[in-house]
């Protein structure tokens, strides 16, 4: 948590009630202080010089801080496209929040699909077999007919090799 003179960043709270906040070595109660989500805090910390926007370099640092990886030049170009189209000197907070929120939602969905795949892959082979499907469905829906499970497996096994890769599984799971 970083502190500015007489202002503290409170991360992750969704309530507008009075909160105990550290300002220097004193503790004070403020109502409706500056409330920042984790992504807003990343923006503020990466906005060197408090310009109100992120430069290309600032944005790279922000993505590393928020997601833990260095984005490619192409990814940065895509994220900066809106700012460039609107003749802005950089990416403003609103655009940053929209981009990062959708990126975060996609990451959450990926993690969820990965967890489901791992639950099916009890043998940790990196792929699923018909037996894996039968076992997983028997645990979750024991009354589901075996023929239905077999048909589901065949639909997911796109290349019909008897194995379902994570990529095949993800494609089917994302098709809602």
């Amino acid at each position: 948590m970083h502190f500015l003179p007489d202002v503290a960043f409170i991360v992750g709270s969704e309530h507008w009630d009075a909160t105990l906040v550290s300002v220097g070595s004193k503790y004070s109660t403020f109502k409706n202080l500056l409330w920042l989500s984790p992504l807003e805090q990343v923006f503020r910390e990466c906005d060197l010089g408090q310009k109100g926007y992120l430069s290309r370099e600032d944005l790279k640092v922000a993505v590393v801080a928020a997601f833990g990886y260095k984005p490619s030049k192409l990814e940065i170009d895509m994220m900066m496209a809106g700012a460039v189209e609107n003749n802005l000197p950089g990416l403003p907070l609103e655009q940053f929040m929209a981009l990062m929120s959708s990126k975060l939602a996609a990451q959450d969905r990926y993690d969820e699909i990965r967890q489901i795949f791992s639950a099916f892959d009890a043998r940790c082979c990196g792929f699923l077999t018909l037996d894996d499907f039968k076992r997983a469905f028997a645990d979750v829906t024991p009354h589901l007919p075996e023929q239905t499970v077999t048909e589901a497996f065949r639909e997911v096994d796109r290349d019909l090799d008897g194995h379902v890769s994570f990529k095949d599984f993800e494609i089917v799971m994302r098709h809602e």
Side-chain angles (χ1 to χ4, degrees):
M1 191 178 289
H2 294 278
F3 296 101
L4 300 175
D6 300 321
V7 179
F9 293 108
I10 303 171
V11 180
S13 180
E14 296 177 10
H15 302 288
W16 287 89
D17 298 329
T19 299
L20 193 61
V21 179
S22 173
V23 179
S25 62
K26 298 179 182 178
Y27 286 90
S28 302
T29 302
F30 293 97
K31 188 152 181 99
N32 298 342
L33 188 64
L34 182 58
W35 297 79
L36 298 177
S37 73
L39 288 176
E40 287 174 297
Q41 184 178 17
V42 167
F43 181 91
R44 303 270 187 238
E45 289 178 357
C46 295
D47 178 12
L48 299 178
Q50 285 71 48
K51 306 172 297 292
Y53 62 85
L54 298 180
S55 67
R56 292 179 64 80
E57 288 303 313
D58 295 343
L59 183 56
K60 284 182 198 175
V61 173
V63 171
V64 170
F67 296 99
Y69 77 93
K70 182 180 175 187
S72 69
K73 183 181 181 321
L74 177 63
E75 187 173 2
I76 291 295
D77 288 344
M78 290 171 56
M79 286 190 264
M80 294 294 290
V84 171
E85 286 174 13
N86 294 318
N87 294 321
L88 299 173
L91 193 67
L93 176 61
E94 298 77 30
Q95 287 181 352
F96 175 79
M97 292 297 293
L99 286 168
M100 296 303 112
S101 294
S102 65
K103 191 171 190 55
L104 192 57
Q107 182 66 38
D108 288 347
R109 182 67 178 140
Y110 174 86
D111 290 344
E112 179 184 17
I113 293 169
R114 176 58 79 181
Q115 287 177 341
I116 295 168
F117 182 85
S118 295
F120 274 57
D121 186 16
R123 297 171 296 123
C124 299
C125 298
F127 60 86
L128 305 176
T129 63
L130 178 58
D131 288 337
D132 293 327
F133 260 62
K134 288 178 181 177
R135 181 196 46 75
F137 277 98
D139 289 346
V140 177
T141 56
H143 302 297
L144 191 66
E146 188 173 322
Q147 179 182 352
T148 303
V149 175
T150 302
E151 288 171 8
F153 179 81
R154 288 191 180 127
E155 186 174 323
V156 178
D157 182 16
R158 300 171 76 85
D159 59 4
L160 304 174
D161 66 351
H163 298 99
V164 173
S165 67
F166 175 72
K167 185 171 184 86
D168 288 340
F169 189 78
E170 182 183 25
I171 288 169
V172 170
M173 292 295 288
R174 286 194 185 271
H175 184 35
E176 297 179 30

